[in-house]
Amino acid sequence: MEPLIYGYLRRLPGTGDADEARLIGGLSALAEAEGFALGPLSVEVEPRGVAAFRGLIDRCLRDDVQSVVVPSPDHLNTLPLLACLVAELLKDEISGQVWIVTAGSEEPSCPPTMPRGVR
């Protein structure tokens, strides 16, 4: 039995039903390629909403799922640095991994994190 991976996407402005279906297909393809079974999807319909994201974290913790797949960093946040920080937050919250189907147009590396007091 394959481990579960949950999906998350944000209904970004200009995303139609066909676009959403294509994005979900990408989530499913990555899940299958990496040996996961794609579980429930959390879809954020409000551009600035966070209810589906919070629900995703709660569901991961409840079901002991430690992998989440998103279509691109833009689905975490449209600002590249904030998308990176949200991915790190999500990883920490679920004690797991965030898989991204496609890289963003401006994908910065996350800033290095240092333990407090180390310079």
Side-chain angles (χ1 to χ4, degrees):
M1 183 171 178
E2 298 137 337
L4 279 175
I5 188 170
Y6 287 171
Y8 176 79
L9 64 92
R10 183 175 295 279
R11 187 94 186 217
L12 298 169
T15 301
D17 292 339
D19 298 317
E20 188 172 316
R22 180 184 50 77
L23 293 170
I24 293 170
L27 300 178
S28 182
L30 184 137
E32 185 177 326
E34 295 296 333
F36 290 100
L38 183 61
L41 300 176
S42 296
V43 179
E44 203 74 70
V45 289
E46 294 296 323
R48 290 178 173 45
V50 295
F53 185 75
R54 186 68 237 171
L56 169 71
I57 292 170
D58 292 343
R59 181 180 289 148
C60 285
L61 294 175
R62 182 191 67 227
D63 299 344
D64 196 29
V65 170
Q66 296 175 316
S67 296
V68 170
V69 61
V70 298
S72 71
D74 287 346
H75 289 265
L76 297 172
N77 195 292
T78 55
L79 299 173
L81 184 57
L82 290 180
C84 185
L85 293 173
V86 170
E88 289 299 314
L89 167 76
L90 181 54
K91 285 186 216 180
D92 288 347
E93 288 282 330
I94 65 172
S95 298
Q97 182 64 40
V98 176
W99 297 77
I100 299 176
V101 175
T102 60
S105 57
E106 298 178 45
E107 186 172 358
S109 59
C110 285
T113 55
M114 300 290 288
R116 291 180 189 239
V118 176
R119 292 185 182 213

mmCIF file with all atom_site columns, all heavy atoms in Angstrom, residues 40-60:
data_model
loop_
_atom_site.group_PDB
_atom_site.id
_atom_site.type_symbol
_atom_site.label_atom_id
_atom_site.label_alt_id
_atom_site.label_comp_id
_atom_site.label_asym_id
_atom_site.label_entity_id
_atom_site.label_seq_id
_atom_site.pdbx_PDB_ins_code
_atom_site.Cartn_x
_atom_site.Cartn_y
_atom_site.Cartn_z
_atom_site.occupancy
_atom_site.B_iso_or_equiv
_atom_site.pdbx_formal_charge
_atom_site.auth_seq_id
_atom_site.auth_comp_id
_atom_site.auth_asym_id
_atom_site.auth_atom_id
_atom_site.pdbx_PDB_model_num
ATOM 1   N N   . PRO A 1 40 ? -7.081  13.380 -0.272 1.00 0.00 ? 40 PRO A N   1
ATOM 2   C CA  . PRO A 1 40 ? -7.945  14.543 -0.462 1.00 0.00 ? 40 PRO A CA  1
ATOM 3   C C   . PRO A 1 40 ? -7.173  15.801 -0.856 1.00 0.00 ? 40 PRO A C   1
ATOM 4   O O   . PRO A 1 40 ? -6.038  15.995 -0.446 1.00 0.00 ? 40 PRO A O   1
ATOM 5   C CB  . PRO A 1 40 ? -8.587  14.741 0.917  1.00 0.00 ? 40 PRO A CB  1
ATOM 6   C CG  . PRO A 1 40 ? -8.410  13.460 1.641  1.00 0.00 ? 40 PRO A CG  1
ATOM 7   C CD  . PRO A 1 40 ? -7.182  12.818 1.073  1.00 0.00 ? 40 PRO A CD  1
ATOM 8   N N   . LEU A 1 41 ? -7.850  16.631 -1.640 1.00 0.00 ? 41 LEU A N   1
ATOM 9   C CA  . LEU A 1 41 ? -7.296  17.924 -2.042 1.00 0.00 ? 41 LEU A CA  1
ATOM 10  C C   . LEU A 1 41 ? -7.946  19.026 -1.226 1.00 0.00 ? 41 LEU A C   1
ATOM 11  O O   . LEU A 1 41 ? -9.148  18.991 -0.981 1.00 0.00 ? 41 LEU A O   1
ATOM 12  C CB  . LEU A 1 41 ? -7.580  18.195 -3.521 1.00 0.00 ? 41 LEU A CB  1
ATOM 13  C CG  . LEU A 1 41 ? -7.029  17.203 -4.526 1.00 0.00 ? 41 LEU A CG  1
ATOM 14  C CD1 . LEU A 1 41 ? -7.498  17.567 -5.925 1.00 0.00 ? 41 LEU A CD1 1
ATOM 15  C CD2 . LEU A 1 41 ? -5.524  17.163 -4.463 1.00 0.00 ? 41 LEU A CD2 1
ATOM 16  N N   . SER A 1 42 ? -7.160  19.989 -0.839 1.00 0.00 ? 42 SER A N   1
ATOM 17  C CA  . SER A 1 42 ? -7.675  21.192 -0.200 1.00 0.00 ? 42 SER A CA  1
ATOM 18  C C   . SER A 1 42 ? -7.544  22.309 -1.227 1.00 0.00 ? 42 SER A C   1
ATOM 19  O O   . SER A 1 42 ? -6.451  22.570 -1.726 1.00 0.00 ? 42 SER A O   1
ATOM 20  C CB  . SER A 1 42 ? -6.856  21.530 1.053  1.00 0.00 ? 42 SER A CB  1
ATOM 21  O OG  . SER A 1 42 ? -6.995  20.519 2.014  1.00 0.00 ? 42 SER A OG  1
ATOM 22  N N   . VAL A 1 43 ? -8.662  22.934 -1.559 1.00 0.00 ? 43 VAL A N   1
ATOM 23  C CA  . VAL A 1 43 ? -8.676  23.993 -2.569 1.00 0.00 ? 43 VAL A CA  1
ATOM 24  C C   . VAL A 1 43 ? -9.088  25.300 -1.902 1.00 0.00 ? 43 VAL A C   1
ATOM 25  O O   . VAL A 1 43 ? -10.166 25.400 -1.323 1.00 0.00 ? 43 VAL A O   1
ATOM 26  C CB  . VAL A 1 43 ? -9.634  23.657 -3.729 1.00 0.00 ? 43 VAL A CB  1
ATOM 27  C CG1 . VAL A 1 43 ? -9.656  24.781 -4.757 1.00 0.00 ? 43 VAL A CG1 1
ATOM 28  C CG2 . VAL A 1 43 ? -9.249  22.327 -4.375 1.00 0.00 ? 43 VAL A CG2 1
ATOM 29  N N   . GLU A 1 44 ? -8.203  26.277 -1.996 1.00 0.00 ? 44 GLU A N   1
ATOM 30  C CA  . GLU A 1 44 ? -8.452  27.610 -1.444 1.00 0.00 ? 44 GLU A CA  1
ATOM 31  C C   . GLU A 1 44 ? -9.145  28.414 -2.528 1.00 0.00 ? 44 GLU A C   1
ATOM 32  O O   . GLU A 1 44 ? -8.537  28.717 -3.552 1.00 0.00 ? 44 GLU A O   1
ATOM 33  C CB  . GLU A 1 44 ? -7.110  28.259 -1.075 1.00 0.00 ? 44 GLU A CB  1
ATOM 34  C CG  . GLU A 1 44 ? -7.186  29.328 -0.053 1.00 0.00 ? 44 GLU A CG  1
ATOM 35  C CD  . GLU A 1 44 ? -7.413  28.769 1.342  1.00 0.00 ? 44 GLU A CD  1
ATOM 36  O OE1 . GLU A 1 44 ? -6.502  28.145 1.897  1.00 0.00 ? 44 GLU A OE1 1
ATOM 37  O OE2 . GLU A 1 44 ? -8.514  28.981 1.869  1.00 0.00 ? 44 GLU A OE2 1
ATOM 38  N N   . VAL A 1 45 ? -10.428 28.744 -2.333 1.00 0.00 ? 45 VAL A N   1
ATOM 39  C CA  . VAL A 1 45 ? -11.160 29.466 -3.373 1.00 0.00 ? 45 VAL A CA  1
ATOM 40  C C   . VAL A 1 45 ? -11.044 30.981 -3.237 1.00 0.00 ? 45 VAL A C   1
ATOM 41  O O   . VAL A 1 45 ? -11.172 31.691 -4.219 1.00 0.00 ? 45 VAL A O   1
ATOM 42  C CB  . VAL A 1 45 ? -12.651 29.048 -3.422 1.00 0.00 ? 45 VAL A CB  1
ATOM 43  C CG1 . VAL A 1 45 ? -12.794 27.646 -3.967 1.00 0.00 ? 45 VAL A CG1 1
ATOM 44  C CG2 . VAL A 1 45 ? -13.302 29.154 -2.073 1.00 0.00 ? 45 VAL A CG2 1
ATOM 45  N N   . GLU A 1 46 ? -10.791 31.473 -2.048 1.00 0.00 ? 46 GLU A N   1
ATOM 46  C CA  . GLU A 1 46 ? -10.582 32.903 -1.849 1.00 0.00 ? 46 GLU A CA  1
ATOM 47  C C   . GLU A 1 46 ? -9.102  33.207 -2.043 1.00 0.00 ? 46 GLU A C   1
ATOM 48  O O   . GLU A 1 46 ? -8.254  32.594 -1.382 1.00 0.00 ? 46 GLU A O   1
ATOM 49  C CB  . GLU A 1 46 ? -11.009 33.325 -0.443 1.00 0.00 ? 46 GLU A CB  1
ATOM 50  C CG  . GLU A 1 46 ? -12.493 33.190 -0.194 1.00 0.00 ? 46 GLU A CG  1
ATOM 51  C CD  . GLU A 1 46 ? -13.311 34.106 -1.072 1.00 0.00 ? 46 GLU A CD  1
ATOM 52  O OE1 . GLU A 1 46 ? -12.876 35.258 -1.329 1.00 0.00 ? 46 GLU A OE1 1
ATOM 53  O OE2 . GLU A 1 46 ? -14.380 33.676 -1.522 1.00 0.00 ? 46 GLU A OE2 1
ATOM 54  N N   . PRO A 1 47 ? -8.746  34.139 -2.915 1.00 0.00 ? 47 PRO A N   1
ATOM 55  C CA  . PRO A 1 47 ? -7.332  34.405 -3.191 1.00 0.00 ? 47 PRO A CA  1
ATOM 56  C C   . PRO A 1 47 ? -6.481  34.682 -1.948 1.00 0.00 ? 47 PRO A C   1
ATOM 57  O O   . PRO A 1 47 ? -5.332  34.284 -1.872 1.00 0.00 ? 47 PRO A O   1
ATOM 58  C CB  . PRO A 1 47 ? -7.373  35.640 -4.103 1.00 0.00 ? 47 PRO A CB  1
ATOM 59  C CG  . PRO A 1 47 ? -8.710  35.603 -4.738 1.00 0.00 ? 47 PRO A CG  1
ATOM 60  C CD  . PRO A 1 47 ? -9.632  34.977 -3.721 1.00 0.00 ? 47 PRO A CD  1
ATOM 61  N N   . ARG A 1 48 ? -7.036  35.341 -0.968 1.00 0.00 ? 48 ARG A N   1
ATOM 62  C CA  . ARG A 1 48 ? -6.276  35.643 0.245  1.00 0.00 ? 48 ARG A CA  1
ATOM 63  C C   . ARG A 1 48 ? -6.701  34.776 1.428  1.00 0.00 ? 48 ARG A C   1
ATOM 64  O O   . ARG A 1 48 ? -6.318  35.021 2.556  1.00 0.00 ? 48 ARG A O   1
ATOM 65  C CB  . ARG A 1 48 ? -6.416  37.121 0.615  1.00 0.00 ? 48 ARG A CB  1
ATOM 66  C CG  . ARG A 1 48 ? -5.681  38.026 -0.360 1.00 0.00 ? 48 ARG A CG  1
ATOM 67  C CD  . ARG A 1 48 ? -5.897  39.471 0.019  1.00 0.00 ? 48 ARG A CD  1
ATOM 68  N NE  . ARG A 1 48 ? -5.182  40.494 -0.669 1.00 0.00 ? 48 ARG A NE  1
ATOM 69  C CZ  . ARG A 1 48 ? -4.962  40.646 -1.949 1.00 0.00 ? 48 ARG A CZ  1
ATOM 70  N NH1 . ARG A 1 48 ? -5.359  39.759 -2.783 1.00 0.00 ? 48 ARG A NH1 1
ATOM 71  N NH2 . ARG A 1 48 ? -4.317  41.683 -2.421 1.00 0.00 ? 48 ARG A NH2 1
ATOM 72  N N   . GLY A 1 49 ? -7.510  33.768 1.150  1.00 0.00 ? 49 GLY A N   1
ATOM 73  C CA  . GLY A 1 49 ? -8.012  32.905 2.204  1.00 0.00 ? 49 GLY A CA  1
ATOM 74  C C   . GLY A 1 49 ? -6.962  31.958 2.754  1.00 0.00 ? 49 GLY A C   1
ATOM 75  O O   . GLY A 1 49 ? -5.926  31.709 2.131  1.00 0.00 ? 49 GLY A O   1
ATOM 76  N N   . VAL A 1 50 ? -7.226  31.450 3.941  1.00 0.00 ? 50 VAL A N   1
ATOM 77  C CA  . VAL A 1 50 ? -6.329  30.483 4.564  1.00 0.00 ? 50 VAL A CA  1
ATOM 78  C C   . VAL A 1 50 ? -7.084  29.291 5.169  1.00 0.00 ? 50 VAL A C   1
ATOM 79  O O   . VAL A 1 50 ? -6.468  28.400 5.746  1.00 0.00 ? 50 VAL A O   1
ATOM 80  C CB  . VAL A 1 50 ? -5.441  31.133 5.649  1.00 0.00 ? 50 VAL A CB  1
ATOM 81  C CG1 . VAL A 1 50 ? -4.498  32.150 5.044  1.00 0.00 ? 50 VAL A CG1 1
ATOM 82  C CG2 . VAL A 1 50 ? -6.272  31.741 6.763  1.00 0.00 ? 50 VAL A CG2 1
ATOM 83  N N   . ALA A 1 51 ? -8.398  29.267 5.042  1.00 0.00 ? 51 ALA A N   1
ATOM 84  C CA  . ALA A 1 51 ? -9.199  28.214 5.667  1.00 0.00 ? 51 ALA A CA  1
ATOM 85  C C   . ALA A 1 51 ? -8.812  26.833 5.144  1.00 0.00 ? 51 ALA A C   1
ATOM 86  O O   . ALA A 1 51 ? -8.648  25.890 5.927  1.00 0.00 ? 51 ALA A O   1
ATOM 87  C CB  . ALA A 1 51 ? -10.685 28.471 5.453  1.00 0.00 ? 51 ALA A CB  1
ATOM 88  N N   . ALA A 1 52 ? -8.665  26.689 3.835  1.00 0.00 ? 52 ALA A N   1
ATOM 89  C CA  . ALA A 1 52 ? -8.302  25.383 3.273  1.00 0.00 ? 52 ALA A CA  1
ATOM 90  C C   . ALA A 1 52 ? -6.881  24.991 3.688  1.00 0.00 ? 52 ALA A C   1
ATOM 91  O O   . ALA A 1 52 ? -6.602  23.822 3.941  1.00 0.00 ? 52 ALA A O   1
ATOM 92  C CB  . ALA A 1 52 ? -8.434  25.390 1.755  1.00 0.00 ? 52 ALA A CB  1
ATOM 93  N N   . PHE A 1 53 ? -5.988  25.972 3.776  1.00 0.00 ? 53 PHE A N   1
ATOM 94  C CA  . PHE A 1 53 ? -4.613  25.690 4.194  1.00 0.00 ? 53 PHE A CA  1
ATOM 95  C C   . PHE A 1 53 ? -4.584  25.195 5.636  1.00 0.00 ? 53 PHE A C   1
ATOM 96  O O   . PHE A 1 53 ? -3.938  24.202 5.955  1.00 0.00 ? 53 PHE A O   1
ATOM 97  C CB  . PHE A 1 53 ? -3.743  26.950 4.033  1.00 0.00 ? 53 PHE A CB  1
ATOM 98  C CG  . PHE A 1 53 ? -2.290  26.728 4.329  1.00 0.00 ? 53 PHE A CG  1
ATOM 99  C CD1 . PHE A 1 53 ? -1.482  26.067 3.419  1.00 0.00 ? 53 PHE A CD1 1
ATOM 100 C CD2 . PHE A 1 53 ? -1.730  27.174 5.507  1.00 0.00 ? 53 PHE A CD2 1
ATOM 101 C CE1 . PHE A 1 53 ? -0.140  25.854 3.681  1.00 0.00 ? 53 PHE A CE1 1
ATOM 102 C CE2 . PHE A 1 53 ? -0.384  26.975 5.791  1.00 0.00 ? 53 PHE A CE2 1
ATOM 103 C CZ  . PHE A 1 53 ? 0.413   26.307 4.869  1.00 0.00 ? 53 PHE A CZ  1
ATOM 104 N N   . ARG A 1 54 ? -5.309  25.885 6.503  1.00 0.00 ? 54 ARG A N   1
ATOM 105 C CA  . ARG A 1 54 ? -5.375  25.454 7.912  1.00 0.00 ? 54 ARG A CA  1
ATOM 106 C C   . ARG A 1 54 ? -6.031  24.076 8.012  1.00 0.00 ? 54 ARG A C   1
ATOM 107 O O   . ARG A 1 54 ? -5.589  23.221 8.776  1.00 0.00 ? 54 ARG A O   1
ATOM 108 C CB  . ARG A 1 54 ? -6.146  26.490 8.719  1.00 0.00 ? 54 ARG A CB  1
ATOM 109 C CG  . ARG A 1 54 ? -6.158  26.249 10.195 1.00 0.00 ? 54 ARG A CG  1
ATOM 110 C CD  . ARG A 1 54 ? -4.784  26.434 10.809 1.00 0.00 ? 54 ARG A CD  1
ATOM 111 N NE  . ARG A 1 54 ? -4.419  25.211 11.490 1.00 0.00 ? 54 ARG A NE  1
ATOM 112 C CZ  . ARG A 1 54 ? -3.233  24.928 12.000 1.00 0.00 ? 54 ARG A CZ  1
ATOM 113 N NH1 . ARG A 1 54 ? -2.259  25.792 11.914 1.00 0.00 ? 54 ARG A NH1 1
ATOM 114 N NH2 . ARG A 1 54 ? -2.976  23.801 12.582 1.00 0.00 ? 54 ARG A NH2 1
ATOM 115 N N   . GLY A 1 55 ? -7.073  23.863 7.221  1.00 0.00 ? 55 GLY A N   1
ATOM 116 C CA  . GLY A 1 55 ? -7.727  22.555 7.199  1.00 0.00 ? 55 GLY A CA  1
ATOM 117 C C   . GLY A 1 55 ? -6.793  21.457 6.722  1.00 0.00 ? 55 GLY A C   1
ATOM 118 O O   . GLY A 1 55 ? -6.827  20.329 7.223  1.00 0.00 ? 55 GLY A O   1
ATOM 119 N N   . LEU A 1 56 ? -5.945  21.784 5.755  1.00 0.00 ? 56 LEU A N   1
ATOM 120 C CA  . LEU A 1 56 ? -4.950  20.828 5.258  1.00 0.00 ? 56 LEU A CA  1
ATOM 121 C C   . LEU A 1 56 ? -4.004  20.411 6.383  1.00 0.00 ? 56 LEU A C   1
ATOM 122 O O   . LEU A 1 56 ? -3.746  19.217 6.578  1.00 0.00 ? 56 LEU A O   1
ATOM 123 C CB  . LEU A 1 56 ? -4.162  21.448 4.107  1.00 0.00 ? 56 LEU A CB  1
ATOM 124 C CG  . LEU A 1 56 ? -2.917  20.706 3.645  1.00 0.00 ? 56 LEU A CG  1
ATOM 125 C CD1 . LEU A 1 56 ? -3.303  19.420 2.923  1.00 0.00 ? 56 LEU A CD1 1
ATOM 126 C CD2 . LEU A 1 56 ? -2.071  21.592 2.756  1.00 0.00 ? 56 LEU A CD2 1
ATOM 127 N N   . ILE A 1 57 ? -3.503  21.378 7.113  1.00 0.00 ? 57 ILE A N   1
ATOM 128 C CA  . ILE A 1 57 ? -2.594  21.066 8.217  1.00 0.00 ? 57 ILE A CA  1
ATOM 129 C C   . ILE A 1 57 ? -3.301  20.198 9.256  1.00 0.00 ? 57 ILE A C   1
ATOM 130 O O   . ILE A 1 57 ? -2.763  19.173 9.690  1.00 0.00 ? 57 ILE A O   1
ATOM 131 C CB  . ILE A 1 57 ? -2.033  22.358 8.850  1.00 0.00 ? 57 ILE A CB  1
ATOM 132 C CG1 . ILE A 1 57 ? -1.108  23.062 7.859  1.00 0.00 ? 57 ILE A CG1 1
ATOM 133 C CG2 . ILE A 1 57 ? -1.300  22.044 10.157 1.00 0.00 ? 57 ILE A CG2 1
ATOM 134 C CD1 . ILE A 1 57 ? -0.681  24.448 8.277  1.00 0.00 ? 57 ILE A CD1 1
ATOM 135 N N   . ASP A 1 58 ? -4.509  20.578 9.613  1.00 0.00 ? 58 ASP A N   1
ATOM 136 C CA  . ASP A 1 58 ? -5.269  19.796 10.600 1.00 0.00 ? 58 ASP A CA  1
ATOM 137 C C   . ASP A 1 58 ? -5.495  18.368 10.121 1.00 0.00 ? 58 ASP A C   1
ATOM 138 O O   . ASP A 1 58 ? -5.341  17.410 10.881 1.00 0.00 ? 58 ASP A O   1
ATOM 139 C CB  . ASP A 1 58 ? -6.609  20.463 10.903 1.00 0.00 ? 58 ASP A CB  1
ATOM 140 C CG  . ASP A 1 58 ? -6.456  21.782 11.647 1.00 0.00 ? 58 ASP A CG  1
ATOM 141 O OD1 . ASP A 1 58 ? -5.364  22.044 12.219 1.00 0.00 ? 58 ASP A OD1 1
ATOM 142 O OD2 . ASP A 1 58 ? -7.429  22.568 11.644 1.00 0.00 ? 58 ASP A OD2 1
ATOM 143 N N   . ARG A 1 59 ? -5.854  18.212 8.847  1.00 0.00 ? 59 ARG A N   1
ATOM 144 C CA  . ARG A 1 59 ? -6.101  16.875 8.292  1.00 0.00 ? 59 ARG A CA  1
ATOM 145 C C   . ARG A 1 59 ? -4.818  16.050 8.274  1.00 0.00 ? 59 ARG A C   1
ATOM 146 O O   . ARG A 1 59 ? -4.827  14.867 8.607  1.00 0.00 ? 59 ARG A O   1
ATOM 147 C CB  . ARG A 1 59 ? -6.672  16.992 6.884  1.00 0.00 ? 59 ARG A CB  1
ATOM 148 C CG  . ARG A 1 59 ? -6.971  15.633 6.256  1.00 0.00 ? 59 ARG A CG  1
ATOM 149 C CD  . ARG A 1 59 ? -7.542  15.744 4.866  1.00 0.00 ? 59 ARG A CD  1
ATOM 150 N NE  . ARG A 1 59 ? -8.889  16.268 4.951  1.00 0.00 ? 59 ARG A NE  1
ATOM 151 C CZ  . ARG A 1 59 ? -9.442  17.036 4.040  1.00 0.00 ? 59 ARG A CZ  1
ATOM 152 N NH1 . ARG A 1 59 ? -8.763  17.391 2.972  1.00 0.00 ? 59 ARG A NH1 1
ATOM 153 N NH2 . ARG A 1 59 ? -10.668 17.463 4.177  1.00 0.00 ? 59 ARG A NH2 1
ATOM 154 N N   . CYS A 1 60 ? -3.694  16.676 7.901  1.00 0.00 ? 60 CYS A N   1
ATOM 155 C CA  . CYS A 1 60 ? -2.412  15.955 7.893  1.00 0.00 ? 60 CYS A CA  1
ATOM 156 C C   . CYS A 1 60 ? -2.069  15.456 9.292  1.00 0.00 ? 60 CYS A C   1
ATOM 157 O O   . CYS A 1 60 ? -1.651  14.307 9.472  1.00 0.00 ? 60 CYS A O   1
ATOM 158 C CB  . CYS A 1 60 ? -1.281  16.851 7.376  1.00 0.00 ? 60 CYS A CB  1
ATOM 159 S SG  . CYS A 1 60 ? -1.277  17.111 5.601  1.00 0.00 ? 60 CYS A SG  1
#
